[in-house]
Amino acid sequence: MGVFILSGACAIKAGKNVSTSIPDRNGWVTWISGAEAFINTTTRYNWSDNYSSLNADVKHVLTDVGESIVAMQAINYDMSGYTSRAEAQTMLDFLRDRINEGIKYLQDKLYSDYIKGA
């Protein structure tokens, strides 16, 4: 899988109505790899290569952001299992907010000093 994202946690974040038709394990692996690359590129720091040296708080922020990105992709892949389009959209909105907040923390200089132990 990925360095800091697990597919099982992504499925949980996508909700109990997430599609079971996601194309096999490779679909999750592709989404996970892309999410980790997106986070590394967006924050201009390679969290994957430096993961083992991070404190537990930062690891939780990274996994939360990454799993939220992948969960959004799973929801968008097939919304037919949700009770309504509004239910799926509410979940997408919640996950987007988690992603935006987490990315903000990972990019912020003050948090950066805390994160990297400076």
Side-chain angles (χ1 to χ4, degrees):
M1 284 296 181
V3 175
F4 53 87
I5 303 172
L6 303 174
S7 63
C10 299
I12 290 168
K13 283 191 179 204
K16 68 179 183 172
N17 295 323
V18 68
S19 175
T20 58
S21 69
I22 293 171
D24 72 28
R25 187 173 190 267
N26 290 329
W28 290 102
V29 170
T30 300
W31 289 339
I32 288 169
S33 297
E36 289 185 354
F38 173 79
I39 294 167
N40 291 339
T41 303
T42 301
T43 60
R44 296 183 181 152
Y45 184 76
N46 195 324
W47 303 101
S48 302
D49 288 353
N50 298 297
Y51 186 73
S52 63
S53 66
L54 300 173
N55 70 41
D57 295 332
V58 176
K59 288 179 180 180
H60 287 297
V61 172
L62 281 170
T63 57
D64 184 44
V65 171
E67 290 163 0
S68 295
I69 291 168
V70 176
M72 284 186 77
Q73 291 172 308
I75 293 168
N76 280 319
Y77 177 77
D78 180 4
M79 292 185 185
S80 65
Y82 296 92
T83 57
S84 68
R85 182 117 176 136
E87 176 193 21
Q89 187 60 55
T90 298
M91 295 181 76
L92 290 169
D93 292 344
F94 173 80
L95 292 167
R96 184 196 60 236
D97 292 346
R98 298 288 296 174
I99 293 164
N100 290 339
E101 192 71 15
I103 292 289
K104 180 181 82 172
Y105 292 141
L106 295 170
Q107 287 178 321
D108 190 289
K109 173 67 175 131
L110 293 175
Y111 288 103
S112 177
D113 290 346
Y114 162 74
I115 288 168
K116 297 173 188 167

